[in-house]
Amino acid sequence: HVQLVESGGGSVQPGGSLRLSCDASGYTYSSNCMGWFRQAPGKEPEGVAAMDSTGSTSVADSVKGRFTVSSDNAKNTLYLQLTSLATEDTAMYYCAKGDTIAAGPNYWGQGTQVTVS
């Protein structure tokens, strides 16, 4: 069965960095699109970054220049490098998969908490 397991979250000071990982299993990783989303308390979920099945990436304007998405297909792992973290980046970060970027996610991980304070 499909599993997406996030890790790497934690508490950091403003200006700090973290690398989130999403270990995927139970499906053909390289044939699917992957993405990172976040949700802060009391706010709507926000798409942060995405990678399609060709490896093309995109990031939200709110994190452009600070966050980088990458993948190790040999390990079936998606990464999100977070740098220059600010308090407004505090949120639960989720990994998700989907058939296409346009179709949106069809499976979500459980999330990893990032707290910047």
Side-chain angles (χ1 to χ4, degrees):
H1 65 284
V2 175
Q3 280 194 307
L4 298 174
V5 180
E6 301 95 334
S7 61
S11 296
V12 296
Q13 294 182 341
S17 299
L18 286 171
R19 189 176 78 157
L20 307 184
S21 298
C22 173
D23 292 318
S25 61
Y27 68 100
T28 305
Y29 175 80
S30 59
S31 298
N32 280 250
C33 300
M34 299 292 295
W36 288 98
F37 296 77
R38 67 184 181 184
Q39 187 169 22
K43 294 188 176 181
E44 293 292 316
E46 175 189 18
V48 176
M51 176 178 286
D52 69 17
S53 57
T54 71
S56 179
T57 63
S58 61
V59 295
D61 287 342
S62 58
V63 303
K64 196 164 290 183
R66 300 190 299 121
F67 291 8
T68 304
V69 61
S70 62
S71 177
D72 186 336
N73 287 1
K75 295 182 178 180
N76 288 359
T77 300
L78 185 74
Y79 301 100
L80 185 67
Q81 181 70 47
L82 293 70
T83 63
S84 301
L85 282 161
T87 55
E88 55 264 35
D89 295 316
T90 294
M92 185 70 81
Y93 284 71
Y94 297 90
C95 169
K97 65 174 281 293
D99 294 328
T100 66
I101 298 292
N106 55 29
Y107 199 88
W108 298 80
Q110 294 300 306
T112 186
Q113 177 69 38
V114 172
T115 302
V116 186
S117 64

